[in-house]
Amino acid sequence: MSRTLTLNLALLAGIALAFALSLIAGKVWIPLDAWTAGDPRWPIIAELRLPRTLLAALVGAALGLSGAAMQGYLRNPLADPGLFGVSSGAALGAVISLYFGYVASPLLLPAFSLTGAGITMAILALLVGRSGSVIVFTLAGVILSSVAGSMTALAISLAPTPFATSQIVTWLMGALTDRSWDDVWLALPLLALGCVLLAFTGRTLDALTLGESAARSMGVDPLRLQLLIVIGVALCVGASVATAGIIGFVGLIVPHLVRPFVGNRPSAVLLPSALAGALLLLLADSLVRAVPTVSELRLGIAMSMLGGPFFLVLLLRMRRRLA
């Protein structure tokens, strides 16, 4: 049995255990004997914890896969889905809906968020043009991320009421609190389509490791690859931000955790990164619910607390290697 297959099976087993833990854990722990329709605690599982758990797994898998695809495309182990500016654009769309109070319908905030991600994606494609250059692509993403971030900060500073400011800041922290089946059905098709598009880039990313010139000589179309990456990441990140707010570092952490087991070939990293992303977010969401705090710790904050030190250690290791 290959190491990759062994790792994937181990991750699937971990996801199954983490899924069960997520249904049990919380401020109120629900034992297994309550998992029957006749038990008065069953609605807590069926209507609150089950959709939240599914959403955590879906968002984690999408962000992990997006991070692995980006690192393979940019050939940069420090690349993260937020680098494209798509997450910042999606966040800006959601902030605009909160700023103007367009949240009467539960679908309006996700719609604004997905629109923000789509507009950012379109602008990114226009800025890059037909060049297919990785450098131009990266610079355009950084510029868009900076502009969207500054506009989000402007909206916060000019919010019409303290309540609007509180709503915006709370949403930007990222969380899966009070998510319902509507959020799952909204995110599922978008995340699934985005993941399928990114899965198709595997062999092309392998060719790109030889360099752009060598990849072109092997028949790789840089523009087609770029479109698949942009649309796939936009769908994954946009749908994730639309339903859960900004949850960072998943796409940075999980490819580094699985790479020692599968090697540096980008196509081999994709599936394990998706599975590891789902496992990581399931465990993190269970942890923030179980921590004995007055109010629930925001998932985005917890991931930043985990991802910041991880990024620093990674940076120090790379510096030592280059010295």
Side-chain angles (χ1 to χ4, degrees):
M1 186 182 293
S2 68
R3 294 180 67 187
T4 302
L5 180 58
T6 303
L7 175 62
N8 289 336
L9 291 175
L11 288 171
L12 284 171
I15 289 172
L17 292 174
F19 199 96
L21 174 65
S22 181
L23 296 178
I24 296 170
K27 300 296 182 187
V28 177
W29 288 68
I30 300 178
L32 294 176
D33 59 12
W35 291 23
T36 59
D39 193 283
R41 293 165 291 184
W42 171 249
I44 298 176
I45 295 176
E47 299 301 327
L48 294 178
R49 293 194 179 173
L50 187 54
R52 177 172 180 164
T53 299
L54 283 170
L55 203 55
L58 290 170
V59 169
L63 293 178
L65 180 59
S66 297
M70 278 195 61
Q71 290 178 17
Y73 177 67
L74 299 177
R75 285 160 285 168
N76 184 345
L78 300 180
D80 181 80
L83 184 65
F84 279 166
V86 177
S87 59
S88 298
L92 178 59
V95 165
I96 289 173
S97 72
L98 291 169
Y99 182 91
F100 290 105
Y102 296 148
V103 288
S105 167
L107 295 178
L108 278 179
L109 190 147
F112 269 77
S113 184
L114 289 169
T115 301
I119 291 173
T120 305
M121 179 186 71
I123 295 174
L124 185 62
L126 288 173
L127 287 174
V128 176
R130 300 185 61 84
S131 65
S133 170
V134 173
I135 296 175
V136 175
F137 189 71
T138 305
L139 290 175
V142 171
I143 292 169
L144 287 174
S145 182
S146 177
V147 171
S150 63
M151 292 179 69
T152 299
L154 178 64
I156 293 172
S157 65
L158 297 178
T161 64
F163 178 72
T165 303
S166 175
Q167 273 192 314
I168 292 171
V169 172
T170 301
W171 187 86
L172 287 174
M173 290 179 185
L176 292 168
T177 310
D178 299 327
R179 297 306 186 265
S180 67
W181 286 107
D182 289 338
D183 297 293
V184 175
W185 302 135
L186 173 71
L188 181 59
L190 299 172
L191 293 176
L193 179 57
C195 288
V196 168
L197 292 177
L198 292 178
F200 277 122
T201 65
R203 292 186 178 181
T204 311
L205 292 175
D206 288 344
L208 199 62
T209 58
L210 303 174
E212 288 188 56
S213 300
R216 287 176 188 269
S217 68
M218 295 171 64
V220 171
D221 183 354
L223 183 60
R224 179 180 177 274
L225 173 61
Q226 193 175 89
L227 285 174
L228 284 175
I229 292 288
V230 171
I231 296 173
V233 171
L235 287 170
C236 287
V237 176
S240 299
V241 173
T243 51
I246 296 179
I247 299 175
F249 290 104
V250 177
L252 174 69
I253 294 173
V254 293
H256 287 281
L257 294 179
V258 304
R259 201 170 279 123
F261 299 96
V262 298
N264 293 316
R265 195 161 48 91
S267 62
V269 178
L270 294 180
L271 178 57
S273 292
L275 296 176
L279 177 59
L280 175 62
L281 218 56
L282 281 170
L283 293 175
D285 188 50
S286 298
L287 179 63
V288 298
R289 277 186 282 146
V291 170
T293 53
V294 176
S295 59
E296 185 179 301
L297 177 65
R298 309 298 290 185
L299 183 57
I301 295 175
M303 290 307 304
S304 295
M305 292 170 65
L306 175 66
F310 183 91
F311 185 81
L312 180 61
V313 169
L314 186 63
L315 206 57
L316 291 174
R317 286 177 57 189
M318 291 182 65
R319 180 185 174 187
R320 226 177 276 126
R321 220 177 291 133
L322 294 173

